[in-house]
């Protein structure tokens, strides 16, 4: 991708630069401009590339750009978008604006968009393309090819073609490659693949995307509850879904709600809001540590040196817990681990934690001895082993339990685990200290 | 995806179940079986589906399965794999086994695999398909279509076709859709798109995948240093690359090295090893906190209650730092933030941290006052504001600095930030405490 920013100060050079770049390069650079300059550059685009560039932009930027265009330009762009992209854009906009835009659409596009918006959030129905080319088994290959040619202009997926009966019930799929390779007098029914992937219109988008990725598909048919074909989800939408989902998992592992929009298009206030609830909840949970410590205030007064190792110990426990939690969340997302594996996973992770704690304990023994004496060395070593084992155990169990009760595992991953491990780690530390010191 | 495990105890039912499922469903279930049962089930697959299922498996499982098959079965599977998948498998295997397998390949496949393996790790050359169908601008559309039909059996990408001159220099691309829609007597040169995306054979795989995702492509041409076409990277490989890359980022945010293989195929020892170095390095970095605290040991002895808030305070700082770091790492991966934006980003994040710290400080004032008195309430409130601001500042700066010096930003994200913030947060806390208490 080109790394040179667009020269927005000089209109002539700007227009020329815009012509030389691919739509993706233009979209990338537009995303990095200030709103006023973005609008200026967008208006300089040729008609055809304006549509292409517009479709590659984030919904937040699309909405912003529409605000700066004349009504007929807005209507043309919105009319020519793919129905699923249009549904995503409408989702972002205020209801009054959406009603105005919908009124300006052609009846067919209005009907398709309304249909998509009628399906639940995060469902296959929201991202499917309702414009597909349907074949029937009795068709001859050459007629099927002629049909594809006639309809290719208007259909979104044409490389994977659904085969249905007269009542639109899905029978199988056929790829354009297979059609091209078949003898013209074969029928579609003879060469189609009947053992095909299909997803329900209510299916979770991430699940749909994983099927497309796992089976290396270009598109997957979407059916209603009576197995009737209603659309196709294409691989480009699957990639966007997976990108958004891993972005969400990553944000939550880092204790934030996902932004869902480009960084610079979010205000400082918006950024703070996406993090405030997490930070608050975690701080409230962390008051547990204050309680544990205040229960041991007297021990602390007698042996103040114990306080010196608190951050090291709970930090290490938190890291070990985060390691287990992150591994389990990711493996669940990839379907390598399922909720029914909980016992097997938790016991494995506890062994991993025990191993890691043992290594750290062995390495800490002599430095702590030299720094703070024999008893502290023993206390720290025993605490490291116990805390790491406990942390890996809790860290792997929490996301699996979350899934069992129907909560997104990423929500209870690293940050929550760390906080819980902090409090229980302190308890373990002070109990061991008391036992070793005979207090 | 089907959730029922395969009935491995009864061969007849097993064979029947295998026939009824799609290759992806079979591959998913195989991945969850123990090695012996996986081999048993795989041997029951019909010849054609065996190859399909094999290609959908993880390289670690592919290698394991090959060990249990007869030599001629192994050679047949390896010969029929796509060249890029084969290169990935060979990468996982011991050199002696690879030499034996390569010797058994047909000359053409051997040459293609050797070529791919000659390109650097993580480069476009490693994942490209060297079997493409090349068109030239002078070709008429109907001849081009006939050529696609003749070659489609053997080529991997056929829906995006590269157009070159006689010396293989890339001139543009054309989609099969455009070919089908064009008049038969048009030439390829008339309808091809000259402003096409192309990547260098040495380009980083993640960058290639982002182009395919960003521009909604099905395949992108790969060229050598003289702009000569050497292969095509397809969208299914791009999805796998993005999946692996985000998996790596996620693992590092959770303080581990990525596993790079299915969870249950990694031993407890392997899991511990992938985490030990991180845990150790972070523990060593955390000894900084011991040093800071020991410098304030006397203050601690005089006011033991200060110790009670240590975990809460540094935990909150760590979370605020992790939030900034994760946001920045993700936004850099999406190219929303670039290294040259460092000043703008760091100042924004510091303001976000100040806002968040202010909210927490306001909310903490009364509870801490009631629990530990007026001075502690002031100390904690001032410390929360300072620590959160500092944490967001450091958390956003570190990944950007890492990128500037050429290190993967994810490596220095959340866990490292947390540890650094811990030590500096303690320093701030005790300095504020001393000032407020007049010690």
């Amino acid at each position: 991708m080109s790394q040179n920013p667009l020269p927005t100060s000089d209109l002539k050079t700007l227009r020329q630069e815009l012509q030389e770049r691919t739509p993706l390069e233009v979209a990338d650079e537009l995303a990095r401009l200030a709103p006023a300059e973005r609008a200026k550059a967008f208006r300089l685009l040729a008609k055809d590339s304006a549509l292409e560039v517009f479709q590659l932009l984030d919904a937040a930027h699309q909405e912003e750009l529409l605000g700066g265009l004349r009504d007929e330009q807005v209507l043309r762009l919105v009319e020519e978008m793919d129905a699923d992209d249009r549904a995503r854009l409408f989702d972002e906009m205020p209801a009054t604006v959406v009603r105005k835009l919908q009124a300006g659409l052609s009846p067919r596009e209005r009907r398709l968009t309304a249909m998509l918006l009628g399906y639940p959030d995060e469902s296959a129905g929201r991202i499917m393309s309702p414009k597909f080319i349907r074949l029937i088994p009795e068709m001859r290959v050459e007629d099927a090819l002629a049909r594809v040619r006639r309809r290719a202009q208007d259909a979104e997926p044409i490389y994977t073609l659904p085969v249905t009966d007269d009542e639109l019930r899905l029978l199988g799929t056929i790829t354009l490659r297979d059609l091209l390779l078949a003898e013209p007098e074969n029928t579609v029914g003879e060469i189609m693949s009947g053992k095909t992937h299909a997803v329900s219109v209510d299916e979770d988008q991430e699940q749909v995307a994983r099927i497309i990725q796992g089976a290396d598909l270009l598109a997957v048919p979407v059916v209603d509850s009576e197995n009737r074909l209603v659309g196709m989800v294409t691989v480009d939408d699957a990639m966007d879904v997976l990108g958004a989902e891993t972005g969400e998992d990553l944000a939550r592992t880092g204790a934030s709600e996902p932004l869902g929009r480009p960084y610079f298009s979010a205000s400082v206030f918006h950024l703070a809001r996406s993090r405030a609830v997490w930070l608050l909840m975690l701080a409230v949970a962390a008051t547990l540590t204050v309680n544990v410590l205040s229960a041991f205030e007297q021990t602390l007064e007698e042996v103040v040196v114990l306080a010196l190792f608190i951050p090291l110990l709970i930090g290490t426990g938190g890291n070990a817990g985060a390691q287990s939690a992150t591994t389990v969340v990711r493996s669940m997302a990839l379907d390598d681990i399922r909720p029914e594996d909980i016992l097997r996973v938790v016991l494995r992770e506890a062994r991993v934690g025990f191993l890691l704690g043992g290594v750290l304990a062995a390495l800490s023994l002599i430095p702590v001895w030299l720094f703070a004496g024999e008893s502290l060395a023993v206390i720290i070593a025993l605490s490291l082993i116990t805390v790491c084992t406990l942390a890996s155990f809790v860290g792997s169990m929490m996301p699996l339990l979350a899934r069992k009760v129907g909560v997104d595992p990423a929500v209870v991953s690293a940050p929550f685990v760390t906080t819980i491990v902090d409090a229980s780690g302190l308890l373990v530390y002070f109990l061991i200290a008391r036992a070793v010191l005979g207090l």
Side-chain angles (χ1 to χ4, degrees), chain A:
Chain A
M1 279 180 241
S2 165
Q3 297 285 321
N4 293 330
L6 290 169
T8 48
S9 49
D10 173 9
L11 281 190
K12 207 181 133 197
T13 333
L14 177 56
R15 191 193 302 264
Q16 197 179 334
E17 280 266 358
L18 287 170
Q19 273 168 4
E20 278 165 16
R21 302 195 185 192
T22 64
L24 174 61
E25 286 165 351
V26 174
D28 277 351
E29 288 306 323
L30 284 185
R32 293 175 49 75
L33 293 178
E37 304 200 306
R38 180 158 43 238
K40 189 167 78 175
F42 185 77
R43 280 193 296 262
L44 285 180
L45 289 170
K47 249 190 175 184
D48 285 351
S49 40
L51 178 66
E52 266 190 89
V53 169
F54 189 77
Q55 298 227 51
L56 295 177
L57 286 171
D58 190 88
H61 286 145
Q62 288 177 339
E63 184 187 351
E64 178 203 293
L65 278 179
L66 289 183
L69 296 177
R70 272 171 296 122
D71 279 359
E72 69 267 25
Q73 288 172 309
V74 170
L75 282 180
R76 195 183 59 85
L77 275 176
V78 173
E79 169 80 25
E80 287 177 20
M81 288 176 82
D82 288 336
D84 52 336
D85 293 339
R86 193 191 299 129
R88 204 167 313 148
L89 174 61
F90 281 7
D91 238 4
E92 294 277 310
M93 301 179 108
T96 48
V97 183
V98 170
R99 266 196 299 277
K100 209 182 113 194
L101 287 177
Q102 266 178 319
L105 288 175
S106 64
R108 181 177 178 216
E109 295 297 331
R110 194 187 317 149
R111 188 177 54 75
L112 290 177
T113 311
M115 179 180 91
L116 295 193
L117 285 171
Y119 294 112
D121 268 347
E122 309 273 308
S123 71
R126 277 292 179 99
I127 48 165
M128 71 187 183
S129 166
K131 295 182 188 169
F132 46 80
I133 303 171
R134 178 174 71 90
L135 305 178
I136 54 171
E138 297 76 26
M139 250 178 204
R140 288 172 33 167
V141 164
E142 66 181 337
D143 298 330
L145 274 174
R147 183 179 165 90
V148 171
R149 249 179 212 203
R150 259 192 334 266
R151 303 277 187 94
Q153 183 71 58
D154 189 46
E156 202 191 338
I158 67 159
Y159 300 130
T160 302
L161 300 157
V163 183
T164 72
D165 66 14
D166 290 337
E167 277 154 354
L168 267 172
R169 268 186 291 265
L170 184 69
L171 301 173
T173 53
I174 190 167
T175 63
L176 190 55
R177 181 195 298 255
D178 289 336
L179 270 189
L180 285 174
L181 285 172
E183 298 297 324
E185 60 274 14
N186 274 142
T187 67
V188 165
E190 285 163 1
I191 55 166
M192 76 174 187
S193 157
K195 205 164 66 180
T196 187
H197 290 277
V199 298
S200 149
V201 72
D202 297 320
E203 181 70 275
D204 181 61
Q205 290 175 1
E206 186 175 1
Q207 194 60 24
V208 179
R210 293 251 170 251
I211 291 174
I212 290 178
Q213 176 181 35
D216 292 348
L217 304 175
L218 294 182
V220 69
V222 181
V223 294
D224 67 12
S225 56
E226 283 157 352
N227 195 33
R228 266 193 281 259
L229 185 68
V230 288
M232 303 280 288
V233 174
T234 50
V235 64
D236 55 314
D237 294 320
M239 283 186 101
D240 293 341
V241 167
L242 287 183
E245 293 285 346
T246 46
E248 280 174 26
D249 285 0
L250 203 61
R252 288 181 178 144
T253 305
S256 319
E257 274 308 292
L259 274 182
R261 56 193 302 166
Y263 181 76
F264 285 116
S265 82
S267 65
V268 167
F269 178 74
H270 185 105
L271 286 170
R273 210 181 44 191
S274 74
R275 303 178 193 173
V277 176
W278 274 89
L279 208 57
L280 257 170
M281 284 198 304
L282 292 171
V284 170
T287 56
L288 252 181
T289 60
V290 182
N291 292 326
V292 171
L293 283 176
S294 83
F296 292 99
E297 199 169 346
Q298 206 179 343
T299 313
L300 259 178
E301 267 176 36
E302 288 173 44
V303 199
V304 169
V305 72
L306 283 175
L308 306 192
F309 293 93
I310 288 178
L312 172 69
L313 202 66
I314 64 178
T316 302
N319 287 329
Q323 291 180 328
S324 294
T326 311
T327 305
V328 169
V329 167
R330 179 67 184 163
S331 300
M332 271 200 284
L334 299 177
D335 204 37
D336 288 343
I337 292 180
R338 294 182 189 163
E340 64 261 31
D341 300 321
I342 184 163
L343 196 67
R344 201 170 149 209
V345 171
V346 165
L347 291 179
R348 273 186 126 214
E349 288 295 317
R351 281 160 61 205
V352 174
F354 183 77
L355 255 175
L356 289 169
V359 171
L360 286 176
L363 293 172
S364 72
L365 216 47
I366 291 177
V368 180
W369 196 318
L370 294 176
F371 178 83
E374 187 183 339
S375 344
L376 247 303
V378 174
I379 293 170
I380 298 296
L382 289 178
S383 300
L384 279 171
I385 298 179
T386 323
V387 168
C388 286
T389 311
L390 183 77
S392 301
F393 181 83
V394 173
S396 54
M397 191 170 57
M398 299 251 331
L400 281 157
L401 282 182
R403 169 69 60 89
K404 283 217 171 192
V405 299
V407 173
D408 179 354
V411 169
V412 294
S413 70
F416 263 96
V417 167
T418 306
T419 308
I420 288 172
V421 168
D422 279 0
S424 46
L426 286 172
L427 192 66
V428 166
Y429 177 45
F430 279 94
L431 289 177
I432 291 177
R434 273 196 186 170
V436 172
L437 298 171
L439 292 173

